[in-house]
Amino acid sequence: MGISTLYDRVHVFDAELDCEWATMDVDIHYRIDAGDGDAVPQTYELVKVTTRIAGAGEVDITGMVNFDYIMDLIEEDASNADACAGDYYG
């Protein structure tokens, strides 16, 4: 994704979370706040963490995960954004 597409939308990436009794495949949904208009993102907002359970479909497990760990994953995902020439010249 390019810099111009970072803001004003929900980003989603998949991850695998482990706990003592299970490993879960999850989707992490988040937004990036542009702050005062600087090119560098100011804050990240966790929208939700979901997993798929047979017979139940998508289940929101946001309240059951370690918030700080998820925010670290979000920062890592956002830092991997690709910039392209079209983001600077248009």
Side-chain angles (χ1 to χ4, degrees):
M1 84 186 94
I3 293 171
S4 63
T5 62
L6 289 177
Y7 311 112
D8 299 324
R9 71 184 197 91
V10 175
H11 303 272
V12 180
F13 67 96
D14 60 348
E16 191 174 86
L17 301 180
D18 294 317
C19 67
E20 294 178 14
W21 51 273
T23 298
M24 300 176 91
D25 293 321
V26 300
D27 288 328
I28 299 172
H29 307 247
Y30 70 96
R31 281 190 186 92
I32 301 174
D33 177 21
D36 61 4
D38 292 340
V40 178
Q42 301 299 309
T43 60
Y44 305 103
E45 173 192 354
L46 174 61
V47 174
K48 63 183 175 178
V49 179
T50 60
T51 190
R52 296 198 67 74
I53 297 177
E58 184 178 271
V59 178
D60 186 340
I61 61 167
T62 307
M64 299 177 205
V65 298
N66 180 306
F67 179 79
D68 292 331
Y69 179 69
I70 297 299
M71 293 307 289
D72 287 344
L73 293 176
I74 288 171
E75 286 186 42
E76 182 179 335
D77 184 70
S79 72
N80 291 326
D82 296 327
C84 63
D87 293 328
Y88 302 102
Y89 309 104

